[in-house]
Amino acid sequence: MRDRSAAARRGTRVRVPRPVRHARTRRAPRGRLTTAVALALGLAAGIGVHTGARHVQLTDAAWVDREYVDAALGTRASWCEAGLYTTTGRGQLFAANTAGTTTAATPALAPLRVVQTGTASSATPTGATSLGSDGYKHPLAQATLNGPAASLGSTYSFAAVTPAQNNQLARAASTGLVSGASGAVSDAGVIDTTVQGAPNAQPDLATVDVRNLVGSTLLSTQLGAANATDLTGVRLVPRSVASLTTRNACLGVNTTSRAYGVSGLRLEAESTNLRAVSTTATSSATTIQNAIAAGTTAAFPTTAAANVNTTMRNNQALLNLMTPAATSTGTLTLTGVNVPTAVSPLTSQTLTSADGAVRLDLTNGRMTVDLATLTSATTGVNGLAPNSEVLTTAIMSAASTAVGALLPVYQTSVLNAISTALNTRTATLTVDTQISLLGLGALLTEPTRFTFTGTLNQLYAKTGGTVGVSVGTNNSCGLLTTGSCTTVRNTFGDPAGQEQLKQAVADALATTVYGTTSTTPSSPARLITNAVTAAQTTLQGSLANLPTAVSAQVNVRPDVASPAARPGIVFDSGEVGVTALRIGAVPASRTAWVAFGASAAGPNTYRLAP
């Protein structure tokens, strides 16, 4: 056995006898070393982790020719032992880019990175807290997160984040096991399911200003100028977010898992037109109350008197030489009706869809759309495929449908409240007009009074109520005018005349109180319907077009090709990761995004042991 060197130099194969299987193998010729190591590393990728009986595995021996390597020579029981791998883990709660200005320029917002050299681990930033076992955490405070907000165009603002929401954690072991996590994750590197399961237990994480993110010009282009102008604020508001990436780079395992969580996501928008629905209901109720005030000067009795006077003049040919004066006087007697009180409880309402996903706060003019609920009533925006879009046409259509149902119902409730109030008391309206025979003066003049009695609803609908006709003093005329007075009584006492008088009063009520048709000037009730229509048009149009302006993706994985991830947090070569939520501009002409809850693991490398 000692005389083998000459045979080796001649290239002759010499088999080592089995009894010396534990002897140290001799050095291989240099020309075969590189090829042999490469072959060994390639073989390792397909070898699993085994327990029990030993299997042939890679060794630390430099010589790997099968003629000289046996299973017992330097064989490892596992490829997951300490010291075999360099690994890197990352936890990153937040990042942003607005037109080229990024959070990368803010050292305080640098992600937590834990690097394992195979012999030791270290973390950046240097202030990270060690958790032991190659783990570190570095939570971010509200002030730190908001630090660069102004330089990024005030596109975002973090709320008073809690310790349950703001963690950044990473662990990198030399065994090949590495993880990164951020957001609502425990120090053990586990997504906090209690936070995910009870989203309202934690405050909002942050607010993203869509107008500042997308830009006013693009928002106007995508939503329409009128809609964009009406919306004084458009925001996307996430609750808690979380993500976790774990890789086991052990050659016999080589597994990767990624998980994310977004406990809530809603859209908020303040609308001038929506706020006007409430203010218009209030002002219209006051206008109606003033219009039906008792006496002779309010809008309803004066308009009714003018209409009756016109009706009389239109019947001049039938009045047997009796000519009405140029004006008539209307007097309304009505007590106990308070329209503002009836409407007031409705003006501060928050209209809510049956599933609770869409709310219209009339006092503040705020529309709130719970995107998570609209996505799934049970899981929200969790459990979705990689790079799933939340602001889809279908989701926005569902929100639009809810708006289209809530506002008309509200309009009806306000008009019904007004109608009910007006129907509670009986009104008396008298219209007095002087009529003269041939226009010859006071000696041949007789007073005429029409008396309308009924609720205002009855008078408006021309159903119920009565119309009394009195001509002359105490309904008695002088000798020279008696015949003509009888003609006047007959003209307005028969059904046709009564209908004309009722119509005159109904028209007055349509103009001053009830009318929902287009009139000039518009009645108070018409103003209410106009306000509702304007709000509905704005909100539904904005919802329909919003997906062309802004995107909200969850479970963002850049390595998944279809559907593709939009630009966001970049993972380095060898890193595998996930971002819980990414919000950004859709038009390619605008680079702007914010990202919440990212984690990554890698690159991981096997170390040739010394």
Side-chain angles (χ1 to χ4, degrees):
M1 287 299 296
R2 299 179 61 84
D3 190 23
R4 291 182 297 166
S5 59
R9 286 193 299 272
R10 291 193 303 271
T12 304
R13 295 191 177 191
V14 178
R15 185 175 299 278
V16 179
R18 292 292 179 179
V20 297
R21 61 192 297 180
H22 294 289
R24 180 177 181 83
T25 59
R26 64 180 183 174
R27 183 178 304 276
R30 287 183 177 273
R32 299 173 62 188
L33 178 59
T34 302
T35 303
V37 172
L39 174 64
L41 291 177
L43 174 65
I47 299 177
V49 175
H50 302 278
T51 58
R54 290 180 298 145
H55 296 264
V56 177
Q57 300 281 11
L58 295 180
T59 75
D60 293 332
W63 183 265
V64 293
D65 193 300
R66 290 181 184 275
E67 295 180 357
Y68 291 90
V69 179
D70 195 4
L73 184 62
T75 298
R76 295 188 179 280
S78 168
W79 288 98
C80 303
E81 298 174 17
L84 294 184
Y85 301 90
T86 61
T87 56
T88 303
R90 186 202 321 190
Q92 186 169 6
L93 178 61
F94 177 69
N97 182 334
T98 303
T101 301
T102 73
T103 50
T106 305
L109 287 183
L112 170 66
R113 292 183 188 271
V114 176
V115 176
Q116 171 63 245
T117 64
T119 58
S121 62
S122 61
T124 56
T126 56
T129 301
S130 174
L131 299 173
S133 302
D134 301 308
Y136 297 81
K137 72 174 183 177
H138 186 62
L140 295 178
Q142 177 191 16
T144 302
L145 290 163
N146 285 333
S151 64
L152 288 161
S154 299
T155 55
Y156 73 93
S157 175
F158 275 85
V161 293
T162 70
Q165 298 173 297
N166 68 344
N167 210 356
Q168 294 185 137
L169 182 140
R171 191 178 301 273
S174 63
T175 60
L177 184 62
V178 59
S179 63
S182 69
V185 293
S186 69
D187 288 351
V190 177
I191 290 179
D192 192 336
T193 56
T194 60
V195 172
Q196 295 299 315
N200 295 329
Q202 298 294 328
D204 294 335
L205 179 66
T207 297
V208 179
D209 189 311
V210 173
R211 184 183 300 276
N212 290 345
L213 184 68
V214 175
S216 296
T217 301
L218 280 178
L219 191 67
S220 179
T221 300
Q222 303 306 125
L223 300 189
N227 293 338
T229 299
D230 176 79
L231 299 180
T232 57
V234 185
R235 300 175 298 280
L236 286 168
V237 184
R239 286 271 185 177
S240 300
V241 301
S243 78
L244 171 64
T245 300
T246 301
R247 296 181 71 184
N248 192 338
C250 170
L251 293 177
V253 181
N254 195 27
T255 59
T256 300
S257 66
R258 290 179 276 188
Y260 80 100
V262 179
S263 65
L265 180 63
R266 68 181 187 272
L267 166 69
E268 292 181 347
E270 274 79 40
S271 164
T272 301
N273 284 342
L274 181 59
R275 189 178 300 110
V277 169
S278 174
T279 57
T280 301
T282 298
S283 62
S284 292
T286 301
T287 299
I288 290 172
Q289 189 66 36
N290 293 336
I292 60 173
T296 61
T297 61
F300 166 53
T302 56
T303 303
N307 289 354
V308 168
N309 188 274
T310 299
T311 299
M312 295 178 71
R313 289 181 172 277
N314 289 341
N315 285 276
Q316 177 67 56
L318 302 175
L319 298 187
N320 193 16
L321 306 180
M322 298 298 288
T323 302
T327 59
S328 301
T329 301
T331 305
L332 179 65
T333 302
L334 178 64
T335 59
V337 173
N338 194 321
V339 178
T341 298
V343 171
S344 180
L346 303 176
T347 59
S348 58
Q349 282 188 328
T350 295
L351 312 180
T352 306
S353 61
D355 59 1
V358 177
R359 292 179 290 126
L360 303 179
D361 177 352
L362 300 180
T363 300
N364 297 300
R366 180 178 299 126
M367 173 182 66
T368 302
V369 179
D370 187 335
L371 299 169
T373 297
L374 286 180
T375 301
S376 171
T378 54
T379 60
V381 294
N382 294 314
L384 299 180
N387 306 326
S388 287
E389 178 63 55
V390 177
L391 295 176
T392 63
T393 300
I395 295 298
M396 294 296 97
S397 177
S400 177
T401 298
V403 170
L406 291 172
L407 284 174
V409 169
Y410 175 76
Q411 172 185 304
T412 299
S413 68
V414 172
L415 295 179
N416 285 345
I418 293 172
S419 177
T420 299
L422 296 178
N423 206 40
T424 57
R425 295 289 186 272
T426 298
T428 299
L429 171 68
T430 60
V431 177
D432 295 302
T433 309
Q434 294 293 323
I435 56 175
S436 62
L437 183 63
L438 298 175
L440 295 178
L443 293 177
L444 298 176
T445 298
E446 300 289 353
T448 301
R449 169 170 288 186
F450 301 125
T451 302
F452 302 84
T453 304
T455 67
L456 294 180
N457 285 1
Q458 290 175 326
L459 297 181
Y460 176 59
K462 300 183 296 182
T463 58
T466 61
V467 181
V469 179
S470 175
V471 183
T473 303
N474 297 322
N475 202 25
S476 177
C477 295
L479 181 62
L480 296 179
T481 58
T482 296
S484 295
C485 288
T486 300
T487 301
V488 173
R489 293 189 194 97
N490 292 340
T491 298
F492 292 108
D494 68 12
Q498 290 274 291
E499 178 63 23
Q500 290 184 66
L501 292 174
K502 288 180 179 180
Q503 188 64 56
V505 172
D507 288 345
L509 285 169
T511 302
T512 60
V513 177
Y514 290 94
T516 56
T517 58
S518 180
T519 58
T520 303
S522 295
S523 70
R526 176 63 181 179
L527 293 177
I528 293 171
T529 62
N530 288 347
V532 168
T533 299
Q536 185 172 331
T537 299
T538 294
L539 298 181
Q540 289 187 309
S542 298
L543 289 169
N545 293 320
L546 192 64
T548 68
V550 64
S551 162
Q553 282 186 323
V554 296
N555 195 14
V556 182
R557 305 185 186 192
D559 56 304
V560 175
S562 182
R566 295 183 183 274
I569 291 177
V570 176
F571 297 119
D572 299 332
S573 176
E575 268 191 311
V576 175
V578 60
T579 301
L581 173 65
R582 180 266 186 200
I583 298 170
V586 169
S589 59
R590 174 78 170 177
T591 300
W593 53 265
V594 291
F596 303 91
S599 60
N604 304 327
T605 306
Y606 172 72
R607 300 173 64 236
L608 290 176

